[in-house]
Amino acid sequence: MESNLVVYNTLTRKKELFEPLNPPFVGMYVCGPTVYSDVHLGNCRTFISFDLMYRYLLHLGYKVRYVRNITDAGHLEGDRDEGDDKFSKKARLEKLEPMEIVQKYTIGFHDVMRLFNTLPPSVEPTATGHIAEQIEMVKEIIENGYAYESNGTIYFDVEKYSKEYNYTALTNRNIEELLANTRDLGGQDDKKGRLDFALWIKAKPEHIMRWPSPWGWGFPGWHIECSAMSSKYLGSTFDIHGGGMDLAATHHTNEIAQSQACHHSEPARYWLHTNMLTVNGTRMSKSAGNGFLPGELFTGSHPLLTRGYSPMTVRFFMLQAHYRSTLDFSNEALEASEKGFKRLMNACALLNKLKASEVTDVDINSIRTRCYEAMNDDFNSPVVIAELFEAARIINSINDGKSSVNAEGLESLKSLMNDFVFNVLGLKEETAETDDIGKLVGFIINLRLEARANKDYATSDRIRNGLQELGIQLKDSKEGTSWSKI
RNA sequence: GGUCGGAUGGCCGAGUGGCUAGGCAGAGGUCUGCAAAACCUCCUACAGCGGUUCGAAUCCGCUUCCGACCUCCA
């Protein structure tokens, strides 16, 4: 299988031709959410970005196994041995069992992902469902000499590892300086070096989420789950590993170290990182308290919003920016996206009503070519959208009788929009009109038509204005009156 | 402090050596009973200062400002 897809690889800080290990199969692992609270829009952006990539890879004909985990094991709030695990803390606050918390927010996450029209991953493994695999991996890392036990907790020995491997490959930082800082500040915990991180953590008496292990009762460190689950489902080396940029420095760096220490091979060949969603220029995050919840966005209940925006408006808004750029959130930007999205959807709807002519004076194939070029250039969805607006202009122009297409051109226009708007970008029409409403509106339109024929414009306008208030907009043209939801 | 990434027209955002996206907003026009939608036209920007070049928003250097990561976070 041949493709010209080029992706930006964080490992090399360059765009590289994407060549799967075993075409046509592609293995892609994306770090999923920690389900101890509602996902916010920043999380959603990442998953929408990877949904775009997943959809495009599928569109190109790859057989993709897309693995996205659910983190549901009790990781600590801080990096130290002190403090609660997030689930237990939340469980106490909500007076629930930790696994009730997990269930509640997992369902919430899935609901939101469905609203955003993301395709479900092929496998969605949970950390708690793979404790045995994690323990096995920790054992192997110990056997290979890259980890040590200290009071029932197992730490990864970063200093030792960094002598043989490039620990800072993803971030390009100077390991000597990092280690130097480490020793100065050392002293807390039972670690040898402060860069060392826990693979397995001994449970304190108050910890509810705990499992037996060769080192006593405990729970896995945060990073090991992704290493264990990605290698289980995708092999010790797979094609794409993705996640938010904030995970690169710590989580992904440690994942690479664990996998290398265990399997002696790079876990993934292409590391793809999505950029942050910002509010007033600052990163949206759980801890900063500036996170928008999807629900607040859809209903407009967030204090910073003047009104609500639909899931597809938000998806479209996000796809209008490249996944590696930061994207700033504002009312104005959302409003602009909402109008643009409707324009695109209206054009798609019009497409089914167009009639073919004998001649063609529009060029659809070059638009399609440019869409592929854009997607092949590191999934450049904003450029694809720009091209689709050009197609929308053509569709409207044909509808106005100012341009024409032959049957063949009309078909390629239809497949263009179907492929890119719906399949690749994953957008969908939200104003699914039921037959009943359609019949009702049709009946009212006919009544109004009679009024207009009698030049009774007062009645005609009253009907139009009334419908407008109910969210239905009438549009008069030579061919008759059409309508759409506002 | 270290590492990395930014600064694009009224706003949001692509691009990244010559052809100078796109959406929204704004102006004018066509159409229309009037609207709406649509179409056409206009508004043509790249933080500042130097340098390289026939040519730079795009490359190089400096300056200013902003952000992310280095601590849980997509």
Side-chain angles (χ1 to χ4, degrees):
Chain A
M1 162 176 278
E2 232 175 289
S3 114
N4 304 309
L5 175 62
V6 164
V7 299
Y8 182 87
N9 190 350
T10 309
L11 260 185
T12 54
R13 285 168 289 281
K14 280 197 295 258
K15 284 185 188 173
E16 297 174 353
L17 184 65
F18 176 67
E19 295 176 288
L21 279 170
N22 305 303
F25 301 100
V26 170
M28 176 163 93
Y29 187 92
V30 173
C31 291
T34 304
V35 285
Y36 70 100
S37 62
D38 290 305
V39 280
H40 60 70
L41 257 327
N43 301 312
C44 294
R45 184 187 182 198
T46 293
F47 302 129
I48 288 171
S49 294
F50 283 105
D51 184 59
L52 171 77
M53 299 176 198
Y54 179 43
R55 284 169 175 275
Y56 188 57
L57 290 168
L58 291 175
H59 176 76
L60 289 178
Y62 289 115
K63 310 273 184 255
V64 187
R65 182 178 292 167
Y66 173 23
V67 181
R68 186 183 64 205
N69 68 300
I70 295 275
T71 295
D72 62 349
H75 300 310
L76 300 182
E77 291 200 292
D79 193 31
R80 309 272 179 79
D81 276 348
E82 65 207 27
D84 282 324
D85 83 69
K86 293 164 181 168
F87 295 94
S88 300
K89 185 179 179 187
K90 189 78 175 187
R92 265 205 309 284
L93 283 171
E94 299 196 13
K95 294 195 168 35
L96 295 169
E97 277 290 313
M99 285 314 281
E100 285 183 286
I101 296 294
V102 166
Q103 179 74 355
K104 176 180 171 183
Y105 292 111
T106 299
I107 290 171
F109 171 64
H110 287 152
D111 287 345
V112 168
M113 287 297 104
R114 204 171 304 118
L115 281 172
F116 280 126
N117 202 31
T118 62
L119 299 172
S122 327
V123 184
E124 195 166 40
T126 61
T128 56
H130 296 75
I131 298 294
E133 287 85 348
Q134 296 179 69
I135 289 173
E136 281 310 305
M137 195 160 181
V138 174
K139 273 158 74 176
E140 251 180 90
I141 295 172
I142 294 173
E143 276 166 30
N144 291 344
Y146 295 97
Y148 56 90
E149 180 179 350
S150 183
N151 289 327
T153 293
I154 311 296
Y155 292 101
F156 189 93
D157 189 338
V158 172
E159 186 161 357
K160 175 172 185 196
Y161 173 83
S162 68
K163 285 181 181 140
E164 293 153 57
Y165 296 96
N166 181 10
Y167 178 68
T168 53
L170 270 182
T171 51
N172 203 28
R173 281 173 304 171
N174 186 331
I175 186 72
E176 300 304 326
E177 281 175 23
L178 288 177
L179 287 170
N181 288 338
T182 296
R183 274 185 284 271
D184 290 348
L185 297 165
Q188 65 281 75
D189 310 333
D190 301 317
K191 317 185 211 181
K192 290 199 282 188
R194 182 132 166 254
L195 285 185
D196 295 356
F197 55 91
L199 297 173
W200 184 264
I201 300 164
K202 181 184 184 176
K204 291 191 172 162
E206 64 270 24
H207 270 114
I208 306 169
M209 297 181 98
R210 52 165 67 199
W211 293 267
S213 80
W215 318 285
W217 286 85
F219 53 95
W222 174 36
H223 316 297
I224 196 73
E225 66 177 79
C226 287
S227 295
M229 295 190 288
S230 63
S231 59
K232 170 162 185 171
Y233 295 108
L234 298 171
S236 55
T237 299
F238 50 94
D239 297 302
I240 296 173
H241 191 125
M245 267 183 191
D246 51 345
L247 299 182
T250 306
H251 182 56
H252 292 162
T253 289
N254 291 344
E255 262 191 77
I256 292 175
Q258 290 165 345
S259 294
Q260 290 273 26
C262 182
H263 304 120
H264 305 291
S265 59
E266 290 264 358
R269 311 209 308 152
Y270 303 92
W271 284 84
L272 272 45
H273 288 102
T274 58
N275 214 322
M276 300 292 105
L277 186 65
T278 61
V279 184
N280 296 324
T282 305
R283 174 184 167 192
M284 185 181 286
S285 77
K286 281 180 185 173
S287 50
N290 64 345
F292 278 54
L293 265 36
E296 295 175 323
L297 182 66
F298 303 151
T299 60
S301 62
H302 191 100
L304 286 174
L305 293 175
T306 51
R307 62 185 181 83
Y309 300 92
S310 74
M312 280 306 105
T313 295
V314 178
R315 182 175 175 113
F316 183 74
F317 164 73
M318 290 179 175
L319 294 175
Q320 272 187 305
H322 185 88
Y323 78 89
R324 280 191 294 113
S325 302
T326 55
L327 174 62
D328 202 57
F329 216 60
S330 69
N331 272 298
E332 293 86 346
L334 282 166
E335 250 167 68
S337 286
E338 184 181 80
K339 288 184 184 165
F341 174 64
K342 277 183 182 158
R343 185 171 142 80
L344 198 57
M345 283 301 118
N346 285 339
C348 288
L350 256 184
L351 194 46
N352 297 317
K353 295 171 190 160
L354 294 185
K355 294 195 177 70
S357 316
E358 294 300 308
V359 291
T360 287
D361 58 8
V362 295
D363 179 10
I364 309 303
N365 287 334
S366 63
I367 293 179
R368 174 175 276 272
T369 302
R370 287 196 296 271
C371 283
Y372 279 114
E373 283 170 358
M375 284 307 289
N376 283 338
D377 184 12
D378 198 24
F379 310 102
N380 197 328
S381 55
V383 168
V384 172
I385 289 173
E387 292 298 334
L388 294 174
F389 275 115
E390 169 65 14
R393 209 204 86 246
I394 289 172
I395 291 168
N396 288 325
S397 211
I398 294 167
N399 185 53
D400 285 357
K402 289 169 180 164
S403 291
S404 49
V405 269
N406 58 20
E408 193 191 340
L410 189 55
E411 276 316 301
S412 64
L413 200 46
K414 281 179 182 170
S415 70
L416 172 77
M417 299 311 258
N418 190 53
D419 285 348
F420 283 94
V421 176
F422 302 109
N423 290 340
V424 173
L425 296 182
L427 298 168
K428 65 174 186 191
E429 180 61 70
E430 287 181 311
T431 59
E433 47 196 70
T434 68
D435 280 356
D436 285 350
I437 290 182
K439 283 178 198 159
L440 265 173
V441 175
F443 176 72
I444 296 168
I445 285 174
N446 283 336
L447 280 181
R448 177 165 170 271
L449 214 58
E450 285 173 30
R452 290 178 74 206
N454 297 330
K455 300 220 187 293
D456 179 6
Y457 293 122
T459 302
S460 147
D461 288 354
R462 221 175 84 210
I463 292 172
R464 188 174 61 201
N465 294 339
L467 286 175
Q468 176 119 10
E469 277 174 33
L470 296 172
I472 288 164
Q473 182 153 75
L474 300 188
K475 298 167 194 171
D476 297 327
S477 73
K478 280 174 196 148
E479 287 78 35
T481 301
S482 62
W483 65 279
S484 63
K485 284 198 178 177
I486 299 169

